[in-house]
Amino acid sequence: MITVQNVSLRFADRKLFEDVNIKFSPGNCYGLIGANGAGKSTFLKVLSGEIEPQTGHVHMNPDERLAVLKQNHFEYEEFEVLQTVIMGHTRLYEVMQEKDAIYMKPDFTHEDGMRAAELEAEFAELNGWEAESEAAILLKGLGIQEELHTKKMADLTGAEKVKVLLAQALFGKPDVLLLDEPTNNLDIKAIQWLEEFLINFENTVIVVSHDRHFLNKVCTHIADLDYGKIQIYVGNYDFWYESSQLAQKMMQEQNKKKEEKIKELQAFIARFSANASKSKQATSRKKLLEKITLDDIKPSSRRYPYVHFAPEREIGNDVLRVEGLTKTIDGVKVLDNVSFTMNKEDKIAFVGTNEIGYTTLFKILMGEMEPDSGSFKWGVTTSQAYFPRDNSEYFENNDLNLVDWLRQYSPNDQSETFLRGFLGRMLFSGEEVMKKASVLSGGEKVRCMLSKMMLSGSNVLLFDDPTNHLDLESITALNNGLMKFKGAMLFTSHDHQFVQTIANRIIEITPNGMVDKQTTYDEYLENEEIQKRLQELYA
């Protein structure tokens, strides 16, 4: 258990959180959420002791151990992989180092023997004899094969280093586990393994993540950082989001009878209580959910962009035909004889590890790159809007303010009032619209690109990883907007829920050919052939 008492923290004149009082209990996984800049990562640093609060304190029992997912991927470059994982248990690693140093002494004394005996006893108590095998199991589960275990960290790729540091945090069954964006740079198989690990983890977990599917799978509670306070809600992210939206609606409709609102809330809670049955905490969660009252759920201060794509022209039956597209980049064939036909109701998700291939395909379809061979043809009724993976060319060295930046892409030379209103729906209000395009943050650039696409009125949308750089609120708004879109789509995304709720067709381009199925993403992942291929990949 970790207890937070009267914790407050300010940076300059800005209050991040004030008088926070929480207990994080064993057996629960808490998803820490909040708007960008609210202080989620900072709060984790307060819990870990890296940052001292200005008031209050964080308490753990002296015999309990806390582990943190390290963010510096280059911290352990000179250490072997297996050794790096074991270093996650600081005391065990210290015992191992001191013990080995004593045994290597050329003049081994009686005092050395006494000290070695003490260390051996502590080593056994800390489960040291199982340390290497446990570390190896964690690494294998995350996709780090045995031949890499004795390599130096400096020899690993960036994605491999992330997995090793995650294994380091999980090692030794810590009493409290703090994870900041643990799914970043993980592949599907590693994420699935981590989900199962955390679902079965018996101690306390506090996690920050932009991956809604991950939060829904592993979280028993949501810790919402809002109004400078942290409020704990029973349930996963979807429960928090829908209940918060419902509370907002109720607050705005105060003229209706409270009894009717309570009935609506009760029906909503009953539906989510039934969904809790798959969790290891099913019984306790269901009881807690059933006890929730209207006063327990507060409207959020979050601001959600308004995302709505309205095609100006209805799309015809002939959308896109791709035949034999092949492309080699820097000596690597990233597309090999790719062929498919797109229908007017298709929302195609391109999944798997061939990100360069998908980006290349989208660039070819948008006329930004020529294929080595093959052809494609858009239908005469189609119009396309494109979200590139790298949008820097739209903003670098651009001194236009946001109104004038957006006016470039407005088909009817709209007035400043219209453009300001449009930007306001994308959370650029007041003087913010006078910012120069060149100084925008990653998330602000994405919202500008979405504005550009919405203005186009296109009936075919191409998105190459649009959720990157977005906060949970913007991801949710974009997700909801695209679920309602009446045109056709081709897209890539690392967001499981985004793909699952939008795609009705899945394409994966593999070294052994192309897989093309009319199915949802979850059904695709459950397919026996896909599971077999993933197993072979990690064998």
Side-chain angles (χ1 to χ4, degrees):
M1 178 184 292
I2 185 167
T3 304
V4 180
Q5 293 182 318
N6 301 318
V7 164
S8 302
L9 187 67
R10 285 177 175 268
F11 283 149
D13 295 331
R14 183 164 169 261
K15 177 182 71 176
L16 286 181
F17 30 84
E18 188 170 38
D19 296 330
V20 174
N21 291 279
I22 306 177
K23 284 185 179 179
F24 296 104
S25 303
N28 293 323
C29 178
Y30 299 85
L32 179 61
I33 64 170
N36 274 2
K40 300 183 294 294
S41 295
T42 303
F43 186 70
L44 289 188
K45 290 178 180 178
V46 169
L47 294 180
S48 70
E50 185 177 339
I51 293 177
E52 284 289 327
Q54 276 138 358
T55 67
H57 64 276
V58 176
H59 175 73
M60 280 180 60
N61 291 333
D63 59 339
E64 292 185 328
R65 187 170 70 85
L66 180 144
V68 181
L69 173 59
K70 299 291 182 67
Q71 300 298 313
N72 182 0
H73 300 166
F74 304 100
E75 188 174 344
Y76 301 92
E77 294 290 86
E78 297 306 311
F79 295 95
E80 291 185 358
V81 168
L82 205 64
Q83 186 182 17
T84 301
V85 174
I86 295 172
M87 290 170 78
H89 193 320
T90 305
R91 181 54 193 158
L92 173 60
Y93 184 71
E94 288 172 350
V95 168
M96 293 172 69
Q97 291 294 101
E98 186 180 352
K99 187 163 64 81
D100 290 346
I102 289 175
Y103 289 140
M104 290 179 66
K105 281 187 173 183
D107 50 346
F108 191 85
T109 66
H110 176 71
E111 288 75 16
D112 289 331
M114 295 292 290
R115 180 57 181 159
E118 292 173 2
L119 292 170
E120 288 290 2
E122 188 175 359
F123 179 73
E125 188 178 329
L126 294 173
N127 204 31
W129 296 110
E130 305 294 328
E132 290 195 2
S133 61
E134 182 190 339
I137 289 170
L138 290 171
L139 289 167
K140 187 75 181 297
L142 288 165
I144 302 297
Q145 300 306 315
E146 194 170 342
E147 59 268 21
L148 295 178
H149 294 186
T150 54
K151 297 269 189 187
K152 291 283 184 69
M153 287 287 284
D155 297 329
L156 270 56
T157 66
E160 289 167 343
K161 289 177 183 177
V162 169
K163 292 179 177 181
V164 175
L165 293 180
L166 182 54
Q168 182 192 71
L170 303 179
F171 176 76
K173 299 180 179 62
D175 298 285
V176 177
L177 181 56
L178 306 182
L179 301 175
D180 194 352
E181 297 292 356
T183 62
N184 279 3
N185 297 307
L186 293 189
D187 49 69
I188 288 294
K189 189 67 176 176
I191 292 173
Q192 290 175 337
W193 181 90
L194 178 60
E195 287 171 352
E196 288 302 313
F197 182 94
L198 294 179
I199 287 169
N200 294 306
F201 190 71
E202 296 177 352
N203 295 330
T204 306
V205 182
I206 305 168
V207 59
V208 172
S209 177
H210 285 87
D211 187 329
R212 297 163 300 158
H213 180 268
F214 180 75
L215 292 176
N216 284 330
K217 285 278 283 186
V218 306
C219 289
T220 61
H221 296 71
I222 293 296
D224 180 25
L225 177 49
D226 203 4
Y227 302 107
K229 302 288 185 181
I230 298 180
Q231 173 105 10
I232 300 290
Y233 293 93
V234 179
N236 60 19
Y237 177 79
D238 275 353
F239 180 82
W240 170 84
Y241 171 72
E242 292 197 30
S243 60
S244 176
Q245 294 296 299
L246 180 59
Q248 188 80 39
K249 179 182 174 184
M250 289 176 175
M251 187 180 69
Q252 293 167 352
E253 298 176 358
Q254 292 178 354
N255 58 322
K256 291 189 177 181
K257 292 180 181 178
K258 186 174 181 181
E259 288 78 10
E260 292 178 3
K261 298 173 186 176
I262 290 174
K263 285 180 181 177
E264 185 178 359
L265 178 62
Q266 287 171 339
F268 167 75
I269 291 169
R271 178 161 58 86
F272 266 86
S273 295
N275 289 343
S277 62
K278 293 182 181 178
S279 168
K280 62 174 182 175
Q281 297 88 1
T283 304
S284 60
R285 284 175 69 187
K286 187 170 182 178
K287 286 179 180 177
L288 287 169
L289 284 168
E290 288 169 348
K291 290 179 182 177
I292 293 174
T293 66
L294 182 63
D295 294 331
D296 293 326
I297 297 177
K298 298 178 182 178
S300 171
S301 68
R302 307 288 203 291
R303 298 169 65 211
Y304 291 81
Y306 176 71
V307 179
H308 178 64
F309 295 92
E312 291 183 353
R313 180 180 184 180
E314 185 176 348
I315 196 168
N317 291 324
D318 187 15
V319 179
L320 173 65
R321 185 180 298 275
V322 175
E323 295 183 353
L325 285 184
T326 299
K327 183 68 177 180
T328 297
I329 298 178
D330 296 330
V332 178
K333 187 174 284 188
V334 296
L335 296 174
D336 187 9
N337 196 32
V338 172
S339 301
F340 63 93
T341 299
M342 187 177 189
N343 304 309
K344 69 175 185 178
E345 295 180 352
D346 280 345
K347 291 182 170 62
I348 303 175
F350 290 83
V351 303
T353 58
N354 190 12
E355 294 182 0
I356 296 175
Y358 300 145
T359 295
T360 301
L361 173 64
F362 285 12
K363 285 183 175 181
I364 290 172
L365 295 179
M366 292 305 298
E368 295 184 2
M369 186 180 286
E370 289 292 325
D372 297 334
S373 61
S375 63
F376 69 93
K377 184 176 181 181
W378 289 104
V380 294
T381 63
T382 65
S383 55
Q384 302 83 37
Y386 173 45
F387 183 100
R389 183 177 293 266
D390 179 6
N391 58 36
S392 57
E393 66 178 279
Y394 293 88
F395 300 97
E396 284 178 355
N397 304 316
N398 194 322
D399 288 333
L400 293 176
N401 63 48
L402 298 192
V403 173
D404 291 335
W405 183 91
L406 190 58
R407 182 177 281 117
Q408 300 175 98
Y409 307 107
S410 176
N412 301 314
D413 193 23
Q414 299 285 359
S415 68
E416 180 168 331
T417 301
F418 173 85
L419 293 172
R420 276 179 170 268
F422 202 88
L423 287 166
R425 292 196 292 273
M426 297 303 288
L427 307 184
F428 296 104
S429 57
E431 291 305 306
E432 284 185 313
V433 302
M434 303 312 293
K435 277 184 179 180
K436 289 185 178 181
S438 58
V439 302
L440 296 180
S441 68
E444 289 172 331
K445 289 176 182 177
V446 171
R447 281 188 271 128
C448 282
M449 293 298 294
L450 295 176
S451 298
K452 170 182 174 295
M453 293 178 73
M454 285 188 282
L455 272 179
S456 72
S458 300
N459 54 25
V460 181
L461 304 179
L462 292 83
F463 286 99
D464 195 358
D465 201 13
T467 57
N468 201 17
H469 299 299
L470 289 183
D471 55 23
L472 277 169
E473 293 72 48
S474 297
I475 291 172
T476 301
L478 176 59
N479 198 157
N480 292 341
L482 291 178
M483 285 169 64
K484 298 172 184 174
F485 177 59
K486 300 301 183 183
M489 277 180 61
L490 303 95
F491 70 100
T492 70
S493 176
H494 289 97
D495 188 304
H496 186 119
Q497 189 164 333
F498 192 84
V499 179
Q500 168 62 16
T501 54
I502 296 171
N504 56 20
R505 182 175 168 187
I506 305 293
I507 290 180
E508 181 173 5
I509 299 174
T510 77
N512 300 319
M514 196 171 85
V515 182
D516 185 351
K517 291 186 179 293
Q518 204 83 30
T519 183
T520 67
Y521 188 44
D522 282 346
E523 289 170 344
Y524 181 77
L525 291 176
E526 289 169 5
N527 183 283
E528 289 183 11
E529 292 179 9
I530 304 302
Q531 286 296 323
K532 183 179 178 182
R533 186 159 54 76
L534 287 172
Q535 293 292 342
E536 290 173 350
L537 191 62
Y538 280 80

